[in-house]
Amino acid sequence: MKTESLLTQTKRILRRFDLKSRKRLGQHFLVDEEVLQLIAASAELDPSDTIVEIGPGLGILTGELARRAGLVIAVELDDKLAASLTKTLASFSNINIINQDILRLDPAALLPAPGPYKVVANLPYYITSPVLRHFLEATVKPKRMVVMVQKEVAEAITAGPGQRSMISLSVQFYGKPKIVSYVPARAFYPAPEVNSALLRIEVYPRPLIAVTDDKGFFQLVRSGFTASRKQIANSLAQGLGRPKVEVLALLEKAGIVPQRRAETLTFEEWAQLWQVFTRRKEEK
Ligand code: SAM
């Protein structure tokens, strides 16, 4: 017997519950069987795993994850989708559906017991950066994230020295990102206007460099990118709202040539600058 294609299955569930894809919520459902298997395989699941899935949608990926993992906690914002999921996934005893905005939930509070977990999701693209930050900056971080994102965002996140931006620094500070595969728009229904990429982030047990105040550190980095592609001295002066002479003195102490651009600084150089910057505040 030929099994139903994911596209047919998707259209059937939409009809059954009288649902329409809501673009505003980034609803583009995965209809490619190979990509579905690739997502699940990249997460390397076994029955000891707890998974947090963001935006289960019609539940097709959710079911695949539940077949391989111990527990799937699936957080869906759309009320109608969440209600339909309780019916379509009723045969699974290891799926917990939560009808909420993922950004309003503390990841630690989602877990039934403290312990390791993985995040797997075909993300709603309009909240990609906030979702990544939400999990990577959380007190209880996942050990791995396997997420579908827009192709250009995946490339920006994995960029190396010389091409780094706020998003690559803020992800690479917490983990090692890698593009698993590019995914064409036709793998989704309805097809989005952009192409996608599957991204896997191995989260470090501790951030790449030791800073006592992550938030403050990233405020400084963000200031460095205020006028991106400009010399770091000008960009920092503008971003921090400090006189240029003061910024030049800080850069000299940190051993950073003021003509450099923020994109070219290494993590170690940002850490050095942060040390000089905090010491200056303590001296005041
Ligand atoms: N997982 C399904 C799949 O692969 O076909 C659906 C993926 S679709 C790209 C994104 C899903 O995220 C949608 O179901 C959407 O309703 C949901 N979503 C959007 N914003 C959300 C939020 N803030 N919190 C939780 N879910 C959200």
Side-chain angles (χ1 to χ4, degrees):
M1 191 183 83
K2 194 177 177 306
T3 50
E4 193 182 35
S5 78
L6 290 189
L7 181 59
T8 312
Q9 205 175 324
T10 295
K11 288 183 176 171
R12 180 174 51 75
I13 302 174
L14 288 172
R15 253 196 326 271
R16 175 178 166 202
F17 294 98
D18 192 24
L19 297 164
K20 281 203 171 59
S21 145
R22 294 169 71 187
K23 274 201 179 159
R24 197 177 58 80
L25 292 182
Q27 290 176 2
H28 298 278
F29 304 108
L30 183 64
V31 291
D32 186 309
E33 182 67 41
E34 253 180 58
V35 178
L36 176 78
Q37 294 303 326
L38 183 65
I39 298 175
S42 306
E44 292 179 23
L45 305 176
D46 68 52
S48 70
D49 275 316
T50 296
I51 306 301
V52 172
E53 189 196 3
I54 301 145
L58 303 176
I60 292 173
L61 175 60
T62 320
E64 190 57 39
L65 298 174
R67 273 186 279 276
R68 299 175 184 226
L71 174 67
V72 181
I73 301 155
V75 181
E76 175 56 61
L77 175 64
D78 186 315
D79 301 353
K80 278 181 91 178
L81 284 187
S84 76
L85 285 166
T86 56
K87 299 201 176 82
T88 49
L89 298 174
S91 62
F92 291 91
S93 57
N94 62 339
I95 298 178
N96 185 2
I97 297 153
I98 300 178
N99 184 196
Q100 279 269 13
D101 180 344
I102 190 67
L103 297 175
R104 291 177 177 272
L105 296 171
D106 175 2
L110 280 171
L111 307 173
Y117 69 102
K118 296 172 181 170
V119 168
V120 183
N122 173 17
L123 282 181
Y125 294 171
Y126 76 104
I127 48 167
T128 301
S129 294
V131 166
L132 293 178
R133 276 210 311 274
H134 188 66
F135 281 93
L136 294 173
E137 291 173 10
T139 331
V140 181
K141 304 182 203 315
K143 62 176 178 178
R144 175 177 299 151
M145 297 184 82
V146 174
V147 286
M148 189 70 73
V149 300
Q150 189 179 329
K151 171 178 171 259
E152 290 74 14
V153 174
E155 288 173 344
I157 288 174
T158 50
Q163 284 167 341
R164 290 223 172 96
S165 56
M166 256 331 278
I167 195 165
S168 62
L169 285 166
S170 54
V171 171
Q172 291 177 26
F173 181 75
Y174 294 105
K176 193 170 168 41
K178 183 178 170 260
I179 294 178
V180 177
S181 177
Y182 287 102
V183 176
R186 63 170 183 278
F188 306 91
Y189 176 81
E193 278 156 21
V194 295
N195 285 315
S196 301
L198 185 62
L199 186 73
R200 173 170 153 153
I201 306 169
E202 295 301 323
V203 182
Y204 303 132
R206 266 175 303 282
L208 196 60
I209 47 173
V211 292
T212 43
D213 169 15
D214 297 12
K215 272 212 174 85
F217 174 70
F218 278 111
Q219 262 166 18
L220 175 76
V221 177
R222 199 165 293 116
S223 306
F225 280 96
T226 312
S228 89
R229 304 197 191 286
K230 269 202 189 160
Q231 297 183 355
I232 184 95
N234 295 329
S235 196
L236 272 178
Q238 189 179 326
L240 296 171
R242 309 298 311 164
K244 192 164 167 192
V245 280
E246 197 181 307
V247 171
L248 285 173
L250 287 176
L251 286 169
E252 193 185 349
K253 271 195 195 155
I256 297 165
V257 178
Q259 287 80 19
R260 299 261 306 271
R261 288 178 301 121
E263 292 87 330
T264 69
L265 263 63
T266 63
F267 268 110
E268 290 69 24
E269 287 171 321
W270 281 115
Q272 186 62 28
L273 187 59
W274 169 243
Q275 264 195 6
V276 172
F277 182 71
T278 42
R279 225 177 287 143
R280 155 199 153 273
K281 282 211 286 200
E282 281 160 15
E283 281 164 9
K284 272 193 174 174

